[in-house]
Each structure stands twice: as structure tokens, then as C-alpha cells.
Amino acid sequence: MKIGVFLVLFQNEPFEKALDYVKAQGVEAVEIGTGGYPGNAHCNPKELLADPEKLARFKEAVESRGLEISALSCHGNPLHPNPEVAQKHHEDFEASVLLAEKLGVQNVITFSGCPGDSENAKYPNWVTCPWPPDFLEVLRWQWEEKLIPYWKKAGQFAKDHGVRVCLEMHPGFCVYNPETLLRLREAVGDVIGANFDPSHLFWQGIDPIFALRKLEGAVYHVHAKDTKVDLVNSLVNGTLDTKVYTEESKRSWIFRTVGYGHDFGFWKDFVSTLRLIGYDGVLSIEHEDSLMSGREGFAKAVAFLREVVIREKIGQAWWV
């Protein structure tokens, strides 16, 4: 198991300077933003695809430091009701796939997307309950008319270029839990898998360990990010929370650096379960902890995960 980082954390730094910093902290892999919501500050796929020399320099910058690229990430909503947003995110996805092929990167990460409630919608509409019955009709339309047709074509495009689509299960999009991921995977094929981020599951009341067991064979990439559920607020208001992330004391939950939402025992079990289901890839640190600076959270996450991986290996060796 290797420790990596989602490099958009340092998007305000020049690319090579960011690589030098994370390498010095002991990471072995980088996940690079290539469009969509993460942006493309370090990597503009269209520019690199159009200039072989730039592409070669980009690749050399990573490889010369002994790093690998675990994934290209263009988290977006290619099904957005606003056609301009949808087209932009679709183009980012296709450019990321083409660049991944050139770089020999297997994984492209994004969201499933979420349409509106009809062709006349202006904004996405995430259905969270089956009643009144209008919601079930919206959900049927979203899946049968939008989501599955789009991903059949997009999935085939990725497959034709030797790339896997890693969908991050995230509330607000049609794929947000193991059940919806597997439903889309069944309709499209095994080109669809998960970028497994436990932080989005914790606050939904999902046990990430059980979720991993359910997704055996379908976990293609992993984010290392934690969530702290605030019982003082969540037991009063539940975990559906629309307050901004900076109102930490009022929210039912907040994102935390690994180890600050769940203890060492959980994360050791998490890594062991990943091995159990056949995943031995990268744990990519994603920092969204509003109580820590980026550098502080990143450094603490690296140290914590290094200890988790080392102890888990010792335990595994003892057991064998």
C-alpha cells in the first residue's frame, strides 16, 4: 500500500515545487487535477496533448522524483442541466482519458453527475426520498434517460483508451453509495469502479468497512479523508446538513484529517480490509479539514498513514 496525495492541495504552488514538497514529506504517488471542480492548475490536458514536448517534460517531472501518478481527477457534473457546464465537464473528462492513455495512467476520477428533474431544469435535482411519487418519476427519468445512456458512451470511450472510470460516491450526485455505484456498474460494465472516499460515507451512516466488502473487485482508487460526526448537533438535526463548512461548531459533521474523526483502530482495519478485497494501491490524501492548514493536515495525515500501514503489515506478517 502506497501513500499519495491529491495535489490540488498545493495548486497555488508551481507544479515542480509542489512535487518536491510532497516527495520530501514521504509520499510515493500523486493524484493530479485535470479539470472539473478541482481545476487544472498543474495539468491542462488539452495543452499537453497538443504539445509532445510539454507532455514529455510533465512526465519527466513526476518520474524523475521517483513518484507515480495514481489518477487524473476531473470531478465534475457532465449531466448538469446547464448545457455549458455539462459540455465543459464532459470535455474535461474526455481530455483526461486521452491524457491518461498517453501517460500510462489507469485511473480517471470523476462524479457520476446529477441531472435536473426534466429537460427544462436549470439546476441539478438530487432525489433523497420516494414520496411524494413525483420524486420516483424524476429518479426513473434521471437514470433511464440520462445517467445510464451517458455512461454507456463515456464508459466505452474510456475502455477504448485503456482507462478505468473511478466514480467518487458523493451525496448530491446519482451515485452516492455502494448500491447506486453497483447499479450503474451493472448497466455499463466493469470499466466503472469506485474512487472510495470513506469521508462521504461516514456522515450518511454507512460503515466503510462493510461498504468495502460489498464493493470487492470494484474499488479502483482510494481517498484517505476522515469525517467527524458531532453528536451534539447530529442527534438533534440529523446528518443532512446544508450549513457552510466554516460553521464547524454548528454543523452535524465536518471533514477531518485522517485520525481526527476515527481512531487508529478503524484506519488499521480499513487498510486490512482493502488488502482483503484485493486492493493494494494508493491511499491518496485529500485535505478538506477546515480546522487545519493544508500543510499541517497533510503532514499529520502522512505520518498517521505511514504508522497505520507499517503496523498493519506487521500484524499481517504475524497472522500469516
Side-chain angles (χ1 to χ4, degrees), residues 111 168-171 197-204 223-230 241 243-246 248 251-262 286-292:
F111 296 128
E168 190 165 325
M169 297 174 287
H170 194 298
D197 185 332
S199 70
H200 302 305
L201 305 185
F202 283 130
W203 69 264
Q204 294 185 73
H223 271 178
K225 191 174 72 177
D226 212 337
T227 293
K228 177 66 176 178
V229 176
D230 187 330
D241 196 329
K243 289 183 287 297
V244 295
Y245 289 130
T246 52
E248 295 93 349
R251 286 185 52 81
S252 294
W253 57 269
I254 58 172
F255 291 129
R256 295 304 319 266
T257 296
V258 288
Y260 283 79
H262 294 79
E286 183 182 22
H287 177 84
E288 293 184 346
D289 189 332
S290 58
L291 299 181
M292 294 185 190

Side-chain angles (χ1 to χ4, degrees), residues 4-11 22 29-35 37-39 42 70-75 109 168 195 221 223 283-288 298:
V5 61
F6 193 7
L7 204 62
V8 296
L9 174 58
F10 303 110
Q11 62 184 341
V22 300
V30 288
E31 173 190 348
I32 299 175
T34 52
Y37 298 118
H42 287 149
S70 65
L72 300 182
S73 293
C74 56
H75 302 67
I109 300 172
E168 190 165 325
N195 175 53
H221 193 262
H223 271 178
L283 301 171
S284 186
I285 296 166
E286 183 182 22
H287 177 84
E288 293 184 346
F298 169 63

Side-chain angles (χ1 to χ4, degrees), residues 81-102:
N82 182 326
E84 292 183 3
V85 175
Q87 184 62 27
K88 172 64 167 59
H89 289 178
H90 171 70
E91 290 177 0
D92 287 346
F93 169 75
E94 289 201 332
S96 297
V97 167
L98 294 176
L99 181 60
E101 180 184 32
K102 292 285 188 182

